[in-house]
Amino acid sequence: MIVAAKTPTVVPSLLAGDLSRLGAQLDAVKAAGCSWVSVDVMDGHFVPNISFGPAFVTLAKSRGFHVDAHLMVTNPLEAAPWFAHVGADIVTFHLEAIHGSDARAALDLVRGLGVKAGLAIKPKTPVAGLLAALDACDLALVMTVEPGFGGQKFLPDMMPKVSALRAEIDARRLDCWLQVDGGVNASNIAQAASAGADNLVAGSAVFAEKDPAAAFRELEAKARAAFGPSQK
Ligand code: DX5
């Protein structure tokens, strides 16, 4: 199947948003060309933090965004319908949360909800499990921080995982976004994009900035300039 190359896309994460003016912040990045935002869902079990429920997907959809719900929860297959029901475009769950059960079947179950399905791995999880299910993924997520909190330091040691996944996606022409999430900023986004990430989640590097719109534009320009040869 010939798959059109994907344009490297920066995806602001609501986790770093200012909840007292999140709507205005979303409108600002939308005006700057942002079309996709990420909603980090944390349950206080899978990660030591509690964040957003489906209402934040509803908010982002009401502002006209493409939305991925990143489920950092111990019961992703139970929770997935709650986010699909409010219009999430992609629901991403963690390989570690399904405890060795069939990732392919889990991805198909999520897709059966009428949404696209993403699979994520934490920094300590080898890439093999994601590679094995890659052809069943609409999105593959390599965490570049230990999930749970925004504002952490980017882990460059995750880049070999990104390159391995990029090579497989390109070799098999898979229609799959390759996403990184965690600590992405203006100083490391080129490294992530040149390793092969075409989807780059950025929270603090956008919403903690004085001018989120300008920050978004700068990040996306850097990502597109650095993206791998296969997309040139
Ligand atoms: C971690 C979260 C964060 C968030 C991005 O569980 O997933 O990575 O999306 O936050 P920053 O960009 O501030 O690291």
Side-chain angles (χ1 to χ4, degrees):
M1 174 177 70
I2 302 296
V3 177
K6 297 187 185 305
T7 306
T9 300
V10 170
V11 178
S13 158
L14 270 59
L15 192 68
D18 175 345
L19 295 187
S20 69
R21 56 195 180 92
L22 189 54
Q25 287 191 312
L26 287 172
D27 293 344
V29 294
K30 190 154 195 289
C34 175
S35 61
W36 180 340
V37 293
S38 183
V39 175
D40 283 311
V41 179
M42 301 176 183
D43 66 357
H45 290 264
F46 187 73
V47 292
N49 195 1
I50 295 176
S51 62
F52 303 135
F56 285 81
V57 171
T58 304
L59 168 66
K61 291 303 293 179
S62 72
R63 269 9 201 228
F65 288 95
H66 190 77
V67 180
D68 76 75
H70 172 195
L71 304 188
M72 289 164 273
V73 303
T74 49
N75 60 336
L77 302 186
E78 182 183 2
W82 309 337
F83 292 87
H85 177 68
V86 293
D89 299 282
I90 302 177
V91 173
T92 299
F93 61 91
H94 273 259
L95 182 64
E96 302 88 353
I98 58 170
H99 303 294
S101 60
D102 185 345
R104 227 173 253 286
L107 288 157
D108 288 344
L109 187 149
V110 169
R111 241 190 311 275
L113 299 169
V115 297
K116 294 200 176 293
L119 186 60
I121 53 172
K122 299 199 284 188
K124 294 191 181 79
T125 302
V127 73
L130 192 40
L131 280 167
L134 194 56
D135 60 321
C137 292
D138 298 301
L139 180 146
L141 166 52
V142 175
M143 289 303 294
T144 45
V145 295
E146 189 62 30
F149 298 91
Q152 301 180 77
K153 200 167 165 359
F154 177 83
L155 298 173
D157 292 355
M158 295 299 109
M159 294 305 99
K161 289 183 184 179
V162 174
S163 302
L165 289 161
R166 171 52 57 202
E168 192 70 9
I169 289 169
D170 287 356
R172 296 169 66 185
R173 293 183 175 279
L174 299 176
D175 186 8
C176 176
W177 287 99
L178 179 45
Q179 186 178 75
V180 294
D181 174 4
V184 173
N185 62 35
S187 66
N188 59 42
I189 195 164
Q191 181 183 7
S194 57
D198 55 12
N199 192 288
L200 305 106
V201 174
S204 318
V206 174
F207 289 128
E209 290 296 315
K210 249 185 347 298
D211 183 345
F216 169 80
R217 279 193 293 265
E218 181 195 11
L219 288 168
E220 197 153 83
K222 288 192 171 195
R224 291 180 177 180
F227 194 60
S230 62
Q231 305 304 322
K232 291 256 188 290

